[in-house]
Amino acid sequence: MKDKEYIKSEKDFYGKVFVDINYAIDNIKPFIDGETLNQRKYYIKLPVLDRYISLLEASEQKAKTSGILSFFKKDNSIELIKDYKAQNSENLNQLDNCSKCACLNCTLSCGFNSCLGCRRNSFIAECDHKVLNVTHHNNYTLNLTNDRTGSSERYSVLATLEDCSKDKQYIIIENLINPEEKFILYYYPGLSEDTYGEITDTEEFDYIAAAYESTNI
């Protein structure tokens, strides 16, 4: 991809993220306290994106004004941009996820973990603000023992769900070797190790499955 195309692509993508997050901050700031605002990951990480947008715009402007001189003078601004993105990739990815999160514009006080329980490469896809929310994940994998085969197998985590009315959490996983093999389990996050449990209540299982499917259309 040529430098100009790269800059335009990055500006289009991250420019929208930047606008969406700033718009959300303007919306919620009058209605929540400073402590709550500082718990929002997109609020404390926004300066990283602000700096990235500034680098993109500076490089774009430099390309417009350099004209024929650009043939005789090396421009290293693209390298600076790519280096900055590489060094801040986790924060930039998080801000992208935040821009899609159901908590982005929320001003309600609730019992969910919200930003405090958010993993990297994750966002809340759906929240009813009262009982249940559904978090989608990217690149979140687990090694678990398959009870049927007795062997350790690798699973992709499709979603975690939190039911604050019952103080329960759930996890939906998919076998990476056999994608048709999916499981819904109780999820117990721990300080050093997470644990999981079988759901024996059919009605509860179907309720969680339906909640996930409704966010995965």
Side-chain angles (χ1 to χ4, degrees):
M1 184 183 294
K2 294 179 180 179
D3 290 350
K4 287 183 179 180
E5 293 173 350
Y6 177 79
I7 292 172
K8 184 181 186 307
S9 174
E10 292 294 287
K11 270 194 68 181
D12 287 348
F13 183 86
Y14 285 103
K16 183 180 185 307
V17 173
F18 185 78
V19 169
D20 288 347
I21 290 177
N22 271 289
Y23 183 76
I25 291 172
D26 287 343
N27 280 344
I28 68 174
K29 221 172 184 179
F31 305 105
I32 62 176
D33 59 48
E35 182 180 351
T36 302
L37 187 60
N38 281 316
Q39 289 174 355
R40 300 287 174 96
K41 289 187 175 182
Y42 57 83
Y43 182 73
I44 60 176
K45 293 178 184 292
L46 187 60
V48 174
L49 181 55
D50 190 10
R51 172 63 176 159
Y52 188 53
I53 296 293
S54 295
L55 288 173
L56 290 168
E57 291 178 342
S59 182
E60 183 180 54
Q61 189 60 34
K62 188 174 182 180
K64 288 179 180 178
T65 58
S66 60
I68 194 169
L69 293 176
S70 63
F71 288 99
F72 304 101
K73 186 166 63 174
K74 180 175 175 57
D75 180 9
N76 68 342
S77 60
I78 293 296
E79 284 74 17
L80 291 174
I81 287 170
K82 291 182 177 180
D83 285 346
Y84 182 86
K85 184 179 181 181
Q87 292 168 10
N88 295 277
S89 60
E90 186 170 328
N91 285 333
L92 291 172
N93 286 338
Q94 181 62 57
L95 287 162
D96 174 32
N97 281 308
C98 287
S99 72
K100 299 178 286 190
C101 185
C103 296
L104 180 65
N105 287 285
C106 186
T107 59
L108 300 177
S109 176
C110 69
F112 296 112
N113 291 330
S114 302
C115 285
L116 295 177
C118 181
R119 292 180 61 93
R120 64 179 183 174
N121 293 321
S122 305
F123 66 93
I124 294 175
E126 183 67 35
C127 180
D128 65 10
H129 307 295
K130 296 178 182 178
V131 177
L132 191 72
N133 70 23
V134 183
T135 299
H136 284 190
H137 303 275
N138 296 307
N139 302 317
Y140 179 13
T141 58
L142 298 171
N143 288 320
L144 297 174
T145 299
N146 188 314
D147 291 338
R148 181 174 54 82
T149 64
S151 60
S152 178
E153 298 181 3
R154 197 157 181 81
Y155 294 86
S156 172
V157 177
L158 302 178
T160 50
L161 297 89
E162 182 183 3
D163 186 331
C164 66
S165 68
K166 299 177 181 177
D167 195 23
K168 289 183 178 179
Q169 295 189 59
Y170 307 85
I171 190 167
I172 301 177
I173 58 176
E174 176 183 85
N175 193 310
L176 287 172
I177 302 300
N178 181 13
E180 293 184 0
E181 193 174 67
K182 295 182 174 67
F183 298 97
I184 302 177
L185 305 168
Y186 289 120
Y187 175 42
Y188 308 106
L191 293 177
S192 59
E193 184 179 4
D194 298 340
T195 55
Y196 312 91
E198 181 184 1
I199 301 174
T200 56
D201 187 313
T202 303
E203 186 175 332
E204 183 179 11
F205 183 96
D206 290 343
Y207 167 63
I208 296 302
Y212 168 68
E213 290 297 334
S214 71
T215 68
N216 203 44
I217 298 173

